[in-house]
Amino acid sequence: AWAGAIPPAKFVFDEDGRRGQALDSMVCAGVVISGGTVRRSVLSPHVHVHSYSLVEDSIVMHGTEIGRRAVVRRAIIDKECSIGEGVEIGVDPEKDRERFHVSEGGIVVIPKGQQVEE
């Protein structure tokens, strides 16, 4: 899509514990951070970060949804993925290795189009 057709990034909700914010991060057009927190990460266009969720030290590709209360740390998530409500990635290394590829350095890699539920 032509870049001019994508709305700007949007940060919504400003309540304690539910504040849409991105710190030390790059946030592309079309991103909605809806009551979640993003730190030291890159969010590609059309990523939606839902309330009470946390994304840290990660790269999230186009069109991915991060569900409510999800935690994503030290991950690369490919396009069009759905990270379900309450899912934790990068929290328990053993659990991550059972479900995903984890690099030697501990980066969790989630392939394109993956639907990740608890």
Side-chain angles (χ1 to χ4, degrees):
W2 177 60
I6 302 173
K10 182 164 109 174
F11 301 80
V12 291
F13 299 116
D14 187 14
E15 309 160 10
D16 286 343
R18 188 185 188 206
R19 182 165 287 120
Q21 59 185 345
L23 309 162
D24 295 329
S25 297
M26 189 163 76
V27 178
C28 292
V31 168
V32 178
I33 300 177
S34 174
T37 298
V38 177
R39 291 192 187 99
R40 298 174 304 278
S41 296
V42 176
L43 303 185
S44 296
H46 300 295
V47 168
H48 192 155
V49 178
H50 290 273
S51 292
Y52 312 109
S53 58
L54 174 64
V55 177
E56 285 184 330
D57 304 305
S58 296
I59 298 170
V60 183
M61 302 297 189
H62 298 65
T64 291
E65 294 259 340
I66 308 292
R68 285 171 80 91
R69 294 186 170 79
V71 175
V72 176
R73 287 196 176 109
R74 302 189 71 225
I76 299 171
I77 302 177
D78 206 345
K79 297 177 187 173
E80 305 295 332
C81 287
S82 173
I83 308 304
E85 186 167 343
V87 168
E88 293 186 345
I89 294 167
V91 176
D92 180 344
E94 292 310 307
K95 190 173 172 187
D96 289 337
R97 278 188 185 86
E98 287 171 17
R99 304 204 297 174
F100 313 113
H101 174 77
V102 181
S103 76
E104 283 183 32
I107 304 294
V108 181
V109 180
I110 298 179
K112 182 177 176 179
Q114 199 82 0
Q115 307 287 311
V116 182
E117 299 299 329
E118 260 312 296

